Amino acid sequence: MKFWNILLALIVIGLVIMGIVSNSKKRSLFTQLQHLLANEQFDEFFELIDSKQAQLVFPEYNRQYFKLNAHLMHGDSARARKLLEQLLTMKTSKAQRRDLVLKAFSIFTTEGDESSAATMLHEIEGWDEPQYDTIKTDSRRMFDIALKNSTAYIDEMEHELATAAPARKGQLDLMLAMQYDTLGNASKRDAYLEEAARNAQAPQGK
């Protein structure tokens, strides 16, 4: 059973699609692109993002990053993977690099690519700032649960649920569901999936 579509939305933290939109022309074009994606008008989106206007307004990295998200939404994993590998070689700001590495880790984990996921995990675990502590912990957990079939985190995650906010509960619920699926406990798996869906719809901070 696959949990990845929900999991990617919940675990990847701090997703930045295009960076700061600083002028009216850029804001207008950005709004058009968002509208096309929201309405799944992918052909029109790619035509616009590759237009001379977009190339003049947006930096190359931002355009390619936006295209990556579009390929993921469209379910085109082959193009998304190729573009992701290209993006990982590009010069970026620290914030862009960390956002991209988190996305790459999630994609590689989803694809079952243990080697590539391990490379991203090694980079994540090298981040020293305290604000990344939870991300580092969850990335290690996800690597072990998804790629090593570990069930070692059940007790600590169930303990953490007692005081977690709804969004955090949703993340924990999904990782618990995956572990119970590994154990073959369908009733526990399904219960945590239902909780994850409920917590995903709860207002933030409540």
Side-chain angles (χ1 to χ4, degrees), residues 20-31:
I20 298 173
V21 181
S22 59
N23 59 56
S24 59
K25 182 180 290 186
K26 188 180 288 188
R27 283 195 298 270
S28 175
L29 186 55
F30 180 70
T31 299

Side-chain angles (χ1 to χ4, degrees), residues 23-74:
N23 59 56
S24 59
K25 182 180 290 186
K26 188 180 288 188
R27 283 195 298 270
S28 175
L29 186 55
F30 180 70
T31 299
Q32 292 177 58
L33 291 164
Q34 283 185 311
H35 177 78
L36 291 171
L37 276 189
N39 288 281
E40 299 185 353
Q41 295 174 265
F42 295 107
D43 289 342
E44 294 85 349
F45 168 84
F46 285 114
E47 182 178 352
L48 182 57
I49 196 69
D50 285 331
S51 68
K52 289 184 178 180
Q53 180 186 8
Q55 292 179 45
L56 287 171
V57 170
F58 296 117
E60 180 66 9
Y61 175 85
N62 290 352
R63 283 197 320 107
Q64 299 304 326
Y65 189 95
F66 209 169
K67 288 167 69 174
L68 171 63
N69 285 301
H71 287 311
L72 291 171
M73 289 180 63
H74 197 208

Side-chain angles (χ1 to χ4, degrees), residues 166-184:
R168 179 62 178 158
K169 284 182 179 179
Q171 297 168 354
L172 294 167
D173 288 332
L174 285 162
M175 288 189 280
L176 282 162
M178 294 173 70
Q179 291 175 88
Y180 278 114
D181 187 60
T182 297
L183 290 173

Side-chain angles (χ1 to χ4, degrees), residues 147-176:
L147 298 174
K148 298 293 189 181
N149 294 320
S150 174
T151 59
Y153 300 103
I154 289 176
D155 288 345
E156 65 187 63
M157 287 185 176
E158 289 183 332
H159 179 74
E160 187 180 343
L161 277 174
T163 57
R168 179 62 178 158
K169 284 182 179 179
Q171 297 168 354
L172 294 167
D173 288 332
L174 285 162
M175 288 189 280
L176 282 162

Side-chain angles (χ1 to χ4, degrees), residues 101-142:
V101 167
L102 288 172
K103 181 180 284 292
F105 174 75
S106 294
I107 292 171
F108 294 148
T109 303
T110 300
E111 294 178 347
D113 184 345
E114 184 175 334
S115 177
S116 296
T119 299
M120 295 297 99
L121 178 62
H122 179 74
E123 185 166 340
I124 291 166
E125 291 183 330
W127 299 345
D128 295 331
E129 296 89 338
Q131 66 263 35
Y132 291 107
D133 286 349
T134 298
I135 293 174
K136 288 160 66 173
T137 297
D138 280 351
S139 296
R140 168 54 64 181
R141 286 168 162 179
M142 274 304 306

